[in-house]
Amino acid sequence: DNWLADYHKGWTNWHLHETHIATKPMPVFVKNWGVYGPTVFANGLIHAPVGLQDVYWQSGKAEKDGYRRFRADHLFYLMPKPNHWARGLGVAISSREKWLAEGLERDCQWLPETPSPFLDPAKGDYRPRASSVLVGKASPAFLDPKDAGLRVRRDFLGVPRPNPPTPGAFEPRSAHQ
C-alpha cells in the first residue's frame, strides 16, 4: 500500500520483476517529480483490486510531457479502470486506447476482471497460484541480458525463473511449497 516517486537524472531507472500491491484506494502508482532519464517497469505486476486514481502522475519539476519518460514492458495491471493513465501539469489521459497510442508500453496487459491470482492474499501470501493467468507471461529478456546488472534468474524467494518467467516478484508455487 504505497506509491513510488521518481526524480532521477542521467541514467535509466529499471524496475524488474516487481509486485506492487494496493489493498486500499491509492492516489497513484508512480509520481514523476522531475525525471530526466527513462524509467522502465518490466516484467512487473500491479495488483490494485480497489483501484488507483492515476497510474502515472507528474508534478514538481517534471516537464509537461514528463510522463513520456515512463516505459512499460510486460507489465500486468490487475485493477479496475483508473481515473487516468497519465495526469498532471495539464495532461489528462483517461482512456486505455489514448494511453496505448502514446507508444510507451510493449506487451503489457490490463486485466480488470481477473480474480486474484495469489495463493492467500488475506494472509499476505502474494505468490501466484500455479493456475494463475500470469504464469509464463513475462519476457525472458532478463534471464540472460548483455548487461549482467539487469539479470533476474531467481525470484524473491530464490526459486529459479523458467523461460518464460512469470511477471512479478514470485514464480508460482502450490499452497504446500
Side-chain angles (χ1 to χ4, degrees), residues 129-152:
R129 290 186 310 268
S131 61
S132 167
V133 298
L134 301 171
V135 175
K137 300 290 181 163
S139 169
F142 299 100
L143 292 173
D144 196 23
K146 288 182 182 179
D147 182 344
L150 299 177
R151 187 174 297 137
V152 182

Side-chain angles (χ1 to χ4, degrees), residues 5 27 30 36 38 41 51 57 78 105 117-118 122-129 132 138 145 147 156 165:
V30 62
Y36 301 101
F41 297 94
W57 190 77
L78 279 67
E105 289 192 3
F118 306 112
K123 293 183 179 176
D125 188 347
Y126 291 101
R127 296 175 298 164
R129 290 186 310 268
S132 167
D147 182 344
F156 192 72

Side-chain angles (χ1 to χ4, degrees), residues 9 16 80 89 132 136 155 166:
K9 62 171 80 171
L16 304 175
L89 300 178
S132 167
D155 77 0
T166 299

Side-chain angles (χ1 to χ4, degrees), residues 8-167:
H8 75 281
K9 62 171 80 171
W11 66 87
T12 300
N13 194 7
W14 292 90
H15 294 265
L16 304 175
H17 280 285
E18 294 178 342
T19 296
H20 298 273
I21 307 292
T23 61
K24 59 186 178 184
M26 299 295 292
V28 68
F29 167 58
V30 62
K31 290 185 179 184
N32 172 346
W33 290 105
V35 174
Y36 301 101
T39 297
V40 180
F41 297 94
N43 287 353
L45 172 62
I46 302 170
H47 181 66
V50 293
L52 297 171
Q53 284 183 335
D54 304 315
V55 181
Y56 302 101
W57 190 77
Q58 56 189 15
S59 71
K61 297 179 182 177
E63 301 161 330
K64 182 178 178 174
D65 65 347
Y67 68 92
R68 297 192 57 74
R69 299 200 186 269
F70 292 121
R71 300 281 191 274
D73 184 357
H74 290 84
L75 183 62
F76 290 77
Y77 305 94
L78 279 67
M79 61 187 199
K81 181 186 180 300
N83 293 341
H84 300 94
W85 288 90
R87 187 172 70 93
L89 300 178
V91 172
I93 301 172
S94 298
S95 79
R96 179 79 177 144
E97 295 76 24
K98 287 182 181 176
W99 174 247
L100 291 175
E102 293 286 326
L104 305 175
E105 289 192 3
R106 190 184 87 150
D107 296 320
C108 297
Q109 291 185 33
W110 175 42
L111 305 168
E113 304 297 325
T114 302
S116 174
F118 306 112
L119 283 175
D120 196 350
K123 293 183 179 176
D125 188 347
Y126 291 101
R127 296 175 298 164
R129 290 186 310 268
S131 61
S132 167
V133 298
L134 301 171
V135 175
K137 300 290 181 163
S139 169
F142 299 100
L143 292 173
D144 196 23
K146 288 182 182 179
D147 182 344
L150 299 177
R151 187 174 297 137
V152 182
R153 290 187 178 162
R154 296 185 175 275
D155 77 0
F156 192 72
L157 297 174
V159 175
R161 294 268 185 194
N163 186 356
T166 299

